[in-house]
Amino acid sequence: MDFNVKKLASDAGVFFTRAVQFTEEKLGQAEKTELDPHLENLIMRADGTKNWTEKILRQTEVLLQPNPIDHTGARIEEFIYDKLDKKIPSRTTNAELLGQYMLDAATEFGPETPYGSTLITVGEYQKRLGGAEREFLQTSAGSFLSPLRNFLEGDWRTISKEKRLLENRRLDLDICKARLKKAKQAEAKAAAAPDFQETRPRNYVLSASASALLSEEVDKAEHELRVAQTEFDRQAEVTRLLLEGISSTHLNHLRCLQDFAEAQAVYYAQCHHYMQDLQRELHRCANPAGAPHTSASGCPAPISSAFPSGASSPGATVSSSSNQRASSLAIEQIQLPVTGARKAKVLYDYDAHDASELSLLADELITVYTVPGMDPDWLIGERGNEKGKVPVTYLELLS
């Protein structure tokens, strides 16, 4: 118990002495040991890395989860599952929830009605958009947010601890320098003005004893300064090695940033493809004469999408007789004379929905033309011996 009390008192004394030294430095009443310029630059670079990493992390979290309440709940859920060492379950996105509401509404209103069938179409694509968003959120959290958070909660905590220890070592060093300076000044003052006025032997003894005490104080202060200088140099080296690791952190964050941008590009490309398909489906609903597989009951649900290739919707119900009639109609149109054939570059992959359409691959070149009475959203495309209808929105016409 006595040992703990003495240690507490000693720590309190050290803390007070450092506080006095720090205050005097701020007031310009004490000298401050300057760090090596290289070390100073490393500290500034590390501080900037920490500050900007925090800002980027927070704003990315806001981008991925705009609702602050949902964001707070998600962080609490992540913390709990992390402590339990369990995988975080995937959450339903807002788009998926909206799509499910539309499908439920279509069931109540009647899927055979125009409104109900359109709700099914839009609802299916909303669920696909939501699924793409969920995959994007999961990818971003694992490849971008987690490394940034690990740096702030791991490496930066170690760096901060060593930086604080370096600052304490510097304060101790400056305290020892000030103590040695005062001891030397007192010794010099005593040596410059000896007390020769007193002739009694007792005063000579006292004067000699005081001089010896001052000399001993100087020796003690020099020893403490050497120890403090050694501790400071050792801590400066440890801190420097840690701070030089910031370059590796930047390289790691660079790779994470590239992964995040790639995931974002894939996500928006998927959304673009889904919306293009949805527009085409809705256009077929509004213009049944130009849509090869519309039915009398209204607009059918989507039967495929750009991602993934060949995926079909549960609500797609098109009779074989309707497909045959649509194919024959498209073949008759294709046999019409060519008018204004041009080259076109394919922008995105496209999967043909039936025999009247032509499947496309991104970046390939095909010949396109139109025929009288054809839907303006479509063109006839030729690639070698293959021929079929292609959507205009997937093409870039070349001169």
Side-chain angles (χ1 to χ4, degrees), residues 19-321:
V20 171
Q21 175 68 23
F22 182 80
T23 303
E24 290 179 349
E25 289 176 357
K26 291 299 182 181
L27 296 176
Q29 299 175 358
E31 296 181 1
K32 176 181 178 181
T33 299
E34 298 296 336
L35 300 177
D36 179 77
H38 177 62
L39 184 58
E40 285 280 8
N41 291 334
L42 289 176
I43 291 176
M44 293 177 59
R45 186 165 178 250
D47 290 339
T49 300
K50 180 257 184 182
N51 293 333
W52 285 111
T53 300
E54 282 183 334
K55 292 181 180 180
I56 292 173
L57 175 63
R58 286 197 300 265
Q59 194 58 37
T60 305
E61 290 175 336
V62 171
L63 173 68
L64 300 179
Q65 185 61 263
N67 191 329
I69 298 178
D70 293 344
H71 172 66
T72 303
R75 288 302 303 275
I76 294 175
E77 184 182 25
E78 290 176 4
F79 176 79
I80 294 175
Y81 275 93
D82 181 64
K83 292 301 180 182
L84 296 177
D85 196 20
K86 292 185 178 181
K87 183 179 179 181
I88 302 174
S90 59
R91 291 183 291 271
T92 303
T93 62
N94 292 329
E96 288 178 308
L97 191 59
L98 174 60
Q100 188 59 50
Y101 287 166
M102 289 182 176
L103 295 178
D104 294 342
T107 301
E108 181 173 343
F109 297 148
E112 299 83 6
T113 64
Y115 183 40
S117 61
T118 304
L119 279 173
I120 292 177
T121 302
V122 178
E124 286 293 335
Y125 277 101
Q126 290 298 324
K127 294 186 71 174
R128 294 182 184 182
L129 291 171
E133 180 185 2
R134 186 176 65 254
E135 293 178 2
F136 170 59
L137 295 178
Q138 293 174 348
T139 302
S140 300
S143 63
F144 188 61
L145 294 182
S146 292
L148 298 186
R149 192 176 294 115
N150 290 339
F151 165 73
L152 295 174
E153 296 177 356
D155 295 347
W156 181 252
R157 287 187 179 180
T158 303
I159 293 174
S160 298
K161 178 182 177 180
E162 298 301 329
K163 282 177 56 184
R164 288 194 300 268
L165 189 56
L166 176 63
E167 179 66 10
N168 290 337
R169 293 289 182 263
R170 186 197 63 77
L171 289 173
D172 293 341
L173 177 62
D174 289 336
I175 291 171
C176 290
K177 287 181 178 179
R179 189 176 298 158
L180 177 61
K181 183 178 180 181
K182 290 180 182 179
K184 287 185 175 181
Q185 288 176 348
E187 184 183 36
K189 182 178 180 182
D195 186 8
F196 292 117
Q197 302 300 324
E198 297 288 346
T199 58
R200 289 176 295 181
R202 178 174 178 274
N203 290 331
Y204 284 112
V205 173
L206 292 175
S207 178
S209 177
S211 178
L213 288 174
L214 289 174
S215 179
E216 183 180 350
E217 186 69 22
V218 170
D219 292 340
K220 180 181 178 182
E222 288 177 345
H223 174 71
E224 291 178 349
L225 177 60
R226 287 193 296 271
V227 174
Q229 184 70 54
T230 302
E231 293 292 333
F232 172 77
D233 292 341
R234 182 184 299 112
Q235 185 58 36
E237 181 65 16
V238 171
T239 306
R240 181 186 65 80
L241 292 175
L242 283 174
L243 293 175
E244 287 178 347
I246 291 295
S247 297
S248 299
T249 300
H250 284 188
L251 290 177
N252 183 39
H253 288 182
L254 170 61
R255 290 190 292 268
C256 297
L257 182 60
Q258 291 172 339
D259 292 341
F260 174 70
E262 181 67 22
Q264 206 170 23
V266 171
Y267 167 62
Y268 286 123
Q270 286 179 324
C271 292
H272 176 76
H273 277 279
Y274 289 149
M275 294 311 298
Q276 290 291 331
D277 285 347
L278 176 58
Q279 285 182 328
R280 176 168 45 77
E281 294 291 342
L282 294 179
H283 182 78
R284 289 181 178 181
C285 294
N287 301 276
H293 51 272
T294 51
S295 62
S297 61
C299 178
I303 60 176
S304 72
S305 65
F307 293 95
S309 177
S312 61
S313 168
T317 55
V318 180
S319 65
S320 58
S321 59

